[in-house]
Amino acid sequence: MSGNDRRARLIAKFRTITAERLTTLIEGFERLESRPHETETCDLVKRELHTIKGEAKMLRFESAGRVAHCIEELLIEALEHKRFPAVREFLTEGLDLIGELVSVEAPETPELVSRVDAYCTSNRAKP
């Protein structure tokens, strides 16, 4: 098997698993809406985000990794300061953006990179 074939298989697996992780995150956000201090759910969503971030960076999905990092930082800050409900919609928008980035063939187009920049620098991204 060539290096390109191996990479293609890894990317296909990454896309599938990331879609599953995003579903888990959305469900976790729903639970956190009513129970923002539930330790098990907090730990789960932080771990899922951290994993997406690391896998995205390893496979050179830099923009997806960057969005995951922005979400992760804001989530931690929001949970610490009991602001999760106030930022949930924005965090969910970020998950949608990650889903889009990992599903397209060319995730680093200028248009998508511009959207990532706008998301990560938005005033709503600041704790």
Side-chain angles (χ1 to χ4, degrees):
M1 175 185 315
S2 75
N4 286 339
D5 291 341
R6 188 174 305 122
R7 179 168 168 68
R9 285 179 50 192
L10 285 172
I11 288 172
K13 186 173 182 178
F14 167 70
R15 287 181 168 139
T16 300
I17 291 172
T18 299
E20 294 168 5
R21 290 185 194 289
L22 291 171
T23 298
T24 298
L25 284 162
I26 289 168
E27 291 167 355
F29 284 3
E30 289 170 1
R31 282 193 302 273
L32 287 175
E33 187 80 53
S34 61
R35 298 179 299 263
H37 301 295
E38 188 177 80
T39 304
E40 184 178 310
T41 302
C42 290
D43 291 345
L44 172 69
V45 296
K46 289 180 206 174
R47 186 173 52 251
E48 292 291 345
L49 278 168
H50 192 75
T51 302
I52 289 172
K53 179 178 73 171
E55 290 174 345
K57 288 183 178 184
M58 257 183 10
L59 291 169
R60 292 177 282 189
F61 279 75
E62 297 297 328
S63 290
R66 184 171 172 219
V67 174
H69 180 77
C70 291
I71 294 170
E72 183 181 39
E73 286 186 335
L74 181 58
L75 174 69
I76 290 167
E77 185 75 20
L79 291 172
E80 267 182 35
H81 292 79
K82 300 177 176 129
R83 294 185 54 240
F84 179 79
V87 298
R88 178 181 180 225
E89 183 179 328
F90 183 72
L91 296 173
T92 302
E93 288 172 21
L95 297 181
D96 292 342
L97 183 54
I98 290 171
E100 184 177 349
L101 290 164
V102 300
S103 68
V104 297
E105 287 302 314
E108 301 299 324
T109 63
E111 187 265 330
L112 286 172
V113 170
S114 176
R115 287 179 50 206
V116 168
D117 289 344
Y119 181 84
C120 290
T121 60
S122 168
N123 285 336
R124 296 188 303 166
K126 309 286 186 277

